[in-house]
Amino acid sequence: MGLIDFDPGQFSARLVLEKPVETADGQGGATIGHEVVTSLWARIEPLSASVEDMAGAGRVTITHQVWLHSRADIAAGMRLGKGTRRFVIESARDPDETGRFLLCRCREEAQ
């Protein structure tokens, strides 16, 4: 596999990285919220959009690949935010195994 190289100007989306946080609900369960970890620069590329029929209503699923500078603290289940949009990280990998970039496959949450 060859080295991946980008013009630094392609990392033009300012995102926030959020991690899930459980809060006790007082009845033995928990609610899951999200806490901001940091902000970072990224490159977002839409991949696909599909429509599912659920209970007579169409539900659209949009997937993206998001390129980031390498970080050790990113894992599936975290999410990235851009304004009111949220991208749930489904997987993260080093695409050329050099430790420079992370390629995250994300699913955009419906608002």
Side-chain angles (χ1 to χ4, degrees):
M1 174 178 289
L3 290 178
I4 295 172
D5 199 23
F6 286 116
D7 172 357
Q10 292 180 329
F11 284 80
S12 59
R14 190 68 170 162
L15 305 179
V16 292
L17 176 64
E18 300 173 339
K19 68 178 180 179
V21 177
E22 286 188 9
T23 305
D25 64 6
Q27 298 179 21
T31 57
I32 297 177
H34 288 83
E35 172 182 290
V36 173
V37 175
T38 191
S39 59
L40 39 81
W41 290 100
R43 174 182 171 181
I44 302 172
E45 299 174 355
L47 289 179
S48 68
S50 61
V51 179
E52 290 180 58
D53 187 27
M54 293 186 93
R59 178 178 147 199
V60 178
T61 301
I62 302 170
T63 60
H64 303 271
Q65 62 182 21
V66 179
W67 292 86
L68 306 169
H69 293 285
S70 188
R71 296 180 58 96
D73 61 345
I74 294 182
M78 297 176 88
R79 66 184 192 181
L80 299 163
K82 181 181 182 190
T84 60
R85 298 171 69 190
R86 293 294 176 268
F87 306 95
V88 178
I89 299 172
E90 294 182 338
S91 66
R93 64 182 181 90
D94 182 349
D96 62 2
E97 298 183 0
T98 61
R100 298 175 306 140
F101 302 109
L102 275 181
L103 178 58
C104 299
R105 184 168 177 97
C106 301
R107 174 182 37 83
E108 188 167 357
E109 287 187 328
Q111 294 294 315

